[in-house]
């Protein structure tokens, strides 16, 4: 059943029929008035209408390890999402399709779903040119941060890859992957690194988007009890890439500096 207040809040925030919409989410942030994650998904789909496309990250960087002595296996049909209850519920729903990528897959349903998830396995990085996140940018779609703040904005990794910032990628690993038809693939993918030139960890600070994006690119509001944001993907990529070109470390803090502050 569609949640009427949630629908009204989504519409007030700027979710419109026909959009391609990528949703990052925190289920708990919505409060106690929601039946279950499926109701959230149903309400989002209703807001987008028959012409819209709903997308969610189904990242598996924790479920699929990258240590030398561990078996790196990903099955698009069975490997769970590591990014929350709504995402995990979504990937298991009938009609939802998922991109073939061992760490940064995306699931989708709706008019452009198959187009958005196709060919991700051709990339050698997490958010390359065939990533659904890059396709969302090219489709002039939107990103909804539903109660989870701005920090877990996976699209920013794609901007980092384009900008060539020094901390984002490390060497590649082989992964045994299985597609939706049960066909095996061996994919050689570079992992994200997030370390500086000296090997120290850096902390992602994508919340700094609120300082550089104008209100017509990033808007905030409440969806039920969840503080949420909607972002125009194309403009976010363009502006953030320019900022990284001027300052490659704008969106990270050095962990040692932070811990000693």
């Amino acid at each position: 059943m569609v949640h009427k207040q949630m629908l009204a809040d989504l519409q007030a925030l700027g979710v419109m029929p026909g959009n391609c919409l990528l949703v990052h989410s925190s289920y708990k942030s919505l409060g106690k008035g929601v039946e279950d994650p499926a109701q959230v998904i149903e309400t989002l789909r209703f807001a987008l209408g028959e012409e819209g496309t709903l997308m969610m990250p189904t990242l598996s960087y924790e479920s699929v390890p990258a240590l030398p002595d561990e078996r790196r296996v990903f099955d698009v049909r069975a490997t769970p999402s590591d990014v929350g209850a709504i995402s995990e519920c979504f990937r298991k729903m009938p009609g939802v399709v998922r991109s073939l990528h061992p760490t940064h897959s995306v699931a989708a349903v709706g008019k452009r779903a198959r187009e958005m998830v196709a060919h991700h396995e051709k990339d050698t990085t997490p958010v390359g040119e065939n990533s659904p996140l890059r396709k969302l940018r090219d489709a002039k779609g939107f990103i909804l941060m539903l109660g989870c703040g701005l920090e877990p904005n996976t699209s920013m990794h794609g901007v980092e890859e384009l900008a060539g910032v020094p901390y984002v990628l490390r060497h590649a690993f082989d992964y045994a992957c299985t597609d939706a038809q049960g066909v095996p693939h061996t994919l050689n993918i570079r992992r994200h690194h997030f370390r500086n030139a000296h090997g120290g960890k850096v902390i992602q600070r994508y919340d700094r988007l609120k300082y550089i994006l104008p209100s017509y690119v990033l808007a905030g509001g409440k969806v039920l009890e969840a503080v949420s944001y909607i972002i125009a993907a194309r403009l976010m990529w363009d502006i953030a890439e320019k900022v990284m070109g001027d300052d490659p470390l704008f969106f990270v803090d050095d962990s040692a500096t932070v811990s000693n502050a």
Side-chain angles (χ1 to χ4, degrees), residues 202-221:
V202 296
I203 299 169
Q204 302 164 39
R205 290 297 309 275
Y206 305 135
D207 57 305
R208 290 177 179 157
L209 285 168
K210 62 189 175 186
Y211 302 124
I212 66 166
L213 298 182
S215 58
Y216 62 86
V217 179
L218 185 153

Side-chain angles (χ1 to χ4, degrees), residues 230-241:
I230 191 166
I231 309 169
R234 177 84 219 189
L235 293 170
M236 184 204 77
W237 279 67
D238 291 347
I239 294 169
E241 185 180 5

Side-chain angles (χ1 to χ4, degrees), residues 70-232:
E70 293 183 299
R71 190 164 176 253
R72 295 179 290 276
V73 176
F74 173 82
D75 188 329
V76 76
R77 304 163 299 178
T79 301
S81 168
D82 294 332
V83 288
I86 298 173
S87 169
E88 175 64 2
C89 177
F90 183 62
R91 76 157 186 95
K92 295 187 288 186
M93 284 184 160
V96 172
V97 291
R98 187 183 190 186
S99 68
L100 183 61
H101 192 284
T103 61
H104 283 67
S105 65
V106 175
V109 71
K111 185 173 182 179
R112 301 182 65 177
R114 293 191 179 277
E115 167 195 349
M116 300 302 278
V117 304
H119 309 306
H120 197 180
E121 69 277 7
K122 294 182 179 180
D123 285 343
T124 58
T125 64
V127 192
E129 64 179 334
N130 294 294
S131 165
L133 304 182
R134 182 87 71 95
K135 292 177 181 177
L136 181 78
R137 178 203 70 170
D138 296 341
K140 297 182 180 179
F142 294 85
I143 302 164
L144 175 63
M145 310 301 292
L146 186 61
C148 56
L150 291 169
E151 289 86 350
N153 186 346
T154 309
S155 296
M156 288 295 290
H157 299 331
V159 185
E160 290 167 330
E161 290 183 23
L162 278 181
V165 294
Y167 57 80
V168 67
L169 291 170
R170 61 170 166 169
H171 57 275
F173 296 86
D174 284 336
Y175 294 87
C177 299
T178 304
D179 67 21
Q181 288 71 47
V183 177
H185 303 256
T186 299
L187 304 181
N188 188 253
I189 307 290
R190 296 180 71 182
R191 295 281 292 215
H192 281 149
H193 191 41
F194 298 111
R195 292 185 178 272
N196 61 30
H198 306 290
K201 291 183 179 180
V202 296
I203 299 169
Q204 302 164 39
R205 290 297 309 275
Y206 305 135
D207 57 305
R208 290 177 179 157
L209 285 168
K210 62 189 175 186
Y211 302 124
I212 66 166
L213 298 182
S215 58
Y216 62 86
V217 179
L218 185 153
K222 280 281 198 80
V223 177
L224 299 182
E225 296 181 21
V227 176
S228 303
Y229 302 91
I230 191 166
I231 309 169

